[in-house]
């Protein structure tokens, strides 16, 4: 074995590792490295990002600390060619060297365009750019929300254009439109406007404008970030994108509901021209008035034509008036004729009525009532016998102790039925008596005795039947004269033309009190046609 040289210094592993680290850091303090990102899996749980940069012939490990990761304008993506600025150092725990990146940018415009195209395809595949998601802008918004820088010329151009076209209330959410934090601020502004309550202290806008002036692709890159595109697509408020000049396109333009070529053009899109609206309303008002006048004139002409086609009111009413006069003239005659017809019917009906018929009906009713009373009594007796027999049959089957209880119940039930039967019988008798009394009153009303009480006399022939005419009697026939207070007999002597025949002789069946000539009531002279025959 070779002996170590006595003048060679001796290092520990840590001293050698840190010495190499200082040497590398002193020799490569700040470098810019171009390469392709490899092995990127997103930030670690600590916030740091670990990956590698490679080209065709070599590979170097890279790390981005959490503070630098938050300041990056572009986020690392697998396969993206970038230019990394940082310092080269070593990791003593693994005996390897690495680059600590402070800033990161795509390697040229071509890389940015490739990244933009890849991001556009990815977001488009998620449906964020579909036309069916687009919302229609309100015709006349009351409040307009603007997301832009408050110090640039963009907000002044928008306010000036709105004041010229249609003065409207504007709410400005100030954001940075360029730099590392611009994407987060723009997305937060869009979400903040959507979170406002419609009737809150700060009302929610009816339309949003996201605006920025022109610039390079790197300057406008914040509006290509996913956070901004997703916030624009998720906005419930209609959103107008006005980023850059007419030739500048960003991903927010695809996600917005409408793209404006310039911020001034966005102001022209969201509000109409007030003077044009006033002129259009005036024109419509004039057309409406002319249409109304023409319509009224047409209706007036149609009405005049209809009036000429129709007859006068007198021609319509004359025939009906004449018919009314004829009907009124016939009304009195019809009333008289109807009165005569009803009088004839009443006379025919009264001729069919006689005291004998009423007396017969009264007698039959009384006999029927008597029969019903007898049947009721017999029914009560039969029912009592049946109940007694049933109680007698049951008494043999009952014990001595409950027998009296059941007998008492049966007696109580029999008493109740007897009371109900008596009440029903009394009601039936009362009802029959009422009908009999009504028939008696009707008989008294229609009886000829009421006629005799008014001074008339009933003449009965020798056979006892009423005499209806003078021709039915011959001289010498005996008649009976019935007055209201009695009956007398008389013999027919004859009749002369000078007046009524008087009786030759009479036999009184029921003497009537004599009346003086002065006390006798004077008979009214009967007029022909006023008093007909009683029968």
């Amino acid at each position: 074995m070779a002996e170590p040289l006595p003048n060679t210094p001796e290092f520990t592993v840590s001293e050698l590792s840190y010495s190499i680290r200082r040497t590398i850091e002193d020799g490569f303090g700040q470098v810019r490295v171009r390469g392709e990102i490899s092995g990127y899996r997103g930030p670690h749980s600590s916030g740091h990002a670990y990956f590698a940069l490679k080209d065709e012939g070599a590979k170097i490990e890279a790390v981005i600390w959490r503070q630098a990761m938050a300041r990056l304008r572009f986020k690392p993506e697998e396969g993206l060619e970038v230019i990394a600025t940082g310092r080269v150092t070593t990791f003593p725990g693994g005996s390897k060297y690495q680059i600590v990146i402070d800033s990161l940018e795509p390697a040229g415009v071509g890389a940015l365009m490739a990244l933009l195209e890849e991001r556009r395809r990815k977001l488009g595949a998620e449906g964020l750019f579909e036309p069916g998601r687009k919302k229609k802008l309100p015709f006349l918004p009351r409040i307009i929300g603007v997301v832009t820088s408050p110090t640039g010329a963009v907000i002044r151009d928008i306010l000036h254009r709105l004041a010229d076209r249609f003065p409207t209330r504007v709410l400005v959410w100030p954001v940075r439109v360029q730099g590392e934090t611009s994407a987060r601020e723009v997305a937060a502004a869009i979400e903040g406007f959507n979170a406002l309550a419609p009737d809150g202290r700060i009302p929610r806008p009816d339309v949003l404008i996201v605006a920025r002036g022109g610039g390079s692709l790197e300057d406008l890159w914040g509006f290509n970030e996913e956070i901004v595109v997703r916030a624009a697509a998720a906005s419930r408020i209609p959103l107008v994108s006005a980023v850059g000049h007419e030739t500048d396109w960003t991903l927010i333009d695809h996600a917005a509901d409408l793209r404006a070529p310039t911020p001034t053009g966005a102001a022209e899109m969201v509000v109409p021209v007030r003077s044009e609206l006033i002129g259009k309303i005036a024109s419509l008002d004039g057309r409406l008035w002319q249409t109304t006048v023409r319509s009224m004139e047409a209706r007036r002409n149609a009405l005049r034509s209809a009036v000429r086609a129709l007859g006068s009111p007198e021609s319509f009413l004359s025939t009906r008036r004449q018919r009314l006069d004829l009907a009124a003239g016939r009304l009195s005659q019809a009333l008289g004729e109807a009165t005569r017809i009803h009088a004839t019917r009443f006379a025919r009906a009264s001729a069919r009525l006689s005291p004998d018929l009423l007396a017969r009906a009264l007698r039959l009713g009384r006999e029927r009532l008597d029969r019903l009373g007898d049947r009721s009594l017999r029914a009560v007796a039969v029912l009592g016998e049946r109940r007694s027999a049933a109680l007698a049959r049951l008494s043999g089957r009952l014990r001595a102790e409950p027998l009296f209880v059941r007998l008492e119940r049966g007696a109580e039930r029999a008493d109740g039925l007897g009371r109900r039967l008596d009440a029903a019988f009394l009601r039936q008798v009362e009802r029959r008596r009422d009908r009999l009394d009504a028939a008696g009153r009707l008989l008294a009303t229609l009886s000829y005795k009421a006629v005799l009480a008014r001074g008339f006399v009933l003449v009965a022939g020798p056979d006892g039947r009423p005499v209806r005419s003078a021709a039915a009697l011959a001289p010498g026939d005996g008649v009976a004269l019935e007055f209201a207070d009695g009956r007398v007999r008389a013999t027919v002597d004859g009749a002369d033309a000078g007046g009524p025949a008087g009786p030759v002789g009479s036999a009184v069946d029921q003497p009537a009190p004599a009346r003086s000539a002065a006390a006798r009531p004077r008979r009214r002279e009967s007029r022909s046609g006023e008093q007909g025959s009683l029968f």
Side-chain angles (χ1 to χ4, degrees), residues 206-467:
D206 300 319
V207 65
L208 295 181
I209 298 177
V210 179
R212 186 202 186 281
S216 64
L217 180 60
E218 291 82 359
D219 296 335
L220 303 179
W221 190 256
F223 297 93
N224 292 320
E225 296 290 348
E226 288 191 25
I227 185 174
V228 176
V229 177
R230 294 185 185 279
S235 175
R236 299 187 302 273
I237 305 174
L239 188 142
V240 179
S241 172
V243 178
H245 298 300
E246 187 170 359
T247 58
D248 297 329
W249 278 86
T250 58
L251 294 182
I252 192 175
D253 296 332
H254 299 284
D257 299 302
L258 186 64
R259 176 189 179 268
T262 60
T264 304
E268 295 177 354
M269 290 179 177
V270 296
V271 294
V273 181
R274 184 172 181 270
S275 58
E276 293 179 359
L277 285 180
I278 294 175
K280 186 175 181 180
I281 292 174
S283 175
L284 292 175
D285 182 68
R287 291 173 58 187
L288 177 62
W289 175 253
Q290 294 175 3
T291 303
T292 304
V293 171
R294 287 196 297 269
S295 177
M296 292 177 63
E297 188 64 27
R299 292 178 182 276
R300 185 180 294 110
N301 295 333
L303 181 60
R304 289 172 180 171
S305 301
V307 169
R308 287 194 298 268
L310 295 174
S312 62
E314 291 296 331
S315 62
F316 283 100
L317 297 176
S318 59
T319 303
R320 290 169 174 78
R321 186 182 293 114
Q322 186 176 1
R323 291 175 59 184
L324 180 61
D325 294 339
L326 293 176
R330 292 196 299 267
L331 182 59
S332 60
Q333 299 177 4
L335 289 175
E337 185 66 23
T339 302
R340 286 193 295 273
I341 292 174
H342 287 293
T344 302
R345 291 180 179 175
F346 181 74
R348 292 176 181 173
S350 63
R352 291 196 298 268
L353 296 175
S354 64
D356 295 337
L357 294 176
L358 294 175
R360 180 182 177 185
L362 186 62
R363 185 177 63 257
L364 293 177
R366 187 178 290 109
E367 293 175 356
R368 185 179 180 185
L369 182 61
D370 295 338
R371 288 196 301 271
L372 289 176
D374 296 340
R375 290 174 61 186
S376 300
L377 292 176
R378 289 195 298 272
V380 170
V382 171
L383 181 61
E385 293 175 357
R386 291 179 180 177
R387 295 291 182 178
S388 300
L391 289 175
R393 287 193 300 269
L394 291 174
S395 61
R397 296 192 298 236
L398 297 176
R399 295 196 301 268
E401 183 176 356
L403 178 62
F404 297 101
V405 178
R406 297 200 177 189
L407 287 177
E408 289 178 359
R409 293 178 181 175
E412 291 176 358
R413 186 176 180 185
D415 292 340
L417 291 176
R419 287 192 298 269
R420 291 173 59 187
L421 182 60
D422 292 341
F425 176 73
L426 292 177
R427 286 195 299 270
Q428 186 71 12
V429 170
E430 187 66 25
R431 192 179 296 112
R432 297 290 182 175
R433 182 179 292 109
D434 292 341
R435 292 177 59 184
L436 186 60
D437 292 342
R441 288 192 296 270
L442 179 61
L443 178 60
T445 302
L446 300 178
S447 176
Y448 69 95
K449 293 183 181 294
V451 180
L452 296 180
R454 295 199 299 269
F456 293 91
V457 178
L458 176 63
V459 180
D463 54 358
R465 295 182 179 180
V467 178

Side-chain angles (χ1 to χ4, degrees), residues 141 149 225 276 525 535:
S149 174
E225 296 290 348
E276 293 179 359
E525 296 181 358
F535 301 100

Side-chain angles (χ1 to χ4, degrees), residues 26-72:
D26 293 340
F28 302 93
Q30 189 75 15
V31 297
R32 287 172 58 86
V33 180
R34 181 171 184 158
E36 180 182 340
I37 296 177
S38 175
Y40 180 74
R41 297 294 181 268
H44 193 266
S45 60
S46 62
H48 313 311
Y50 301 95
F51 55 94
L53 295 176
K54 68 177 183 178
D55 57 10
E56 294 84 356
K59 178 180 178 182
I60 184 173
E61 298 294 330
V63 59
I64 304 177
W65 304 126
R66 181 177 58 186
Q67 294 82 1
M69 190 73 176
R71 296 193 303 266
L72 291 181

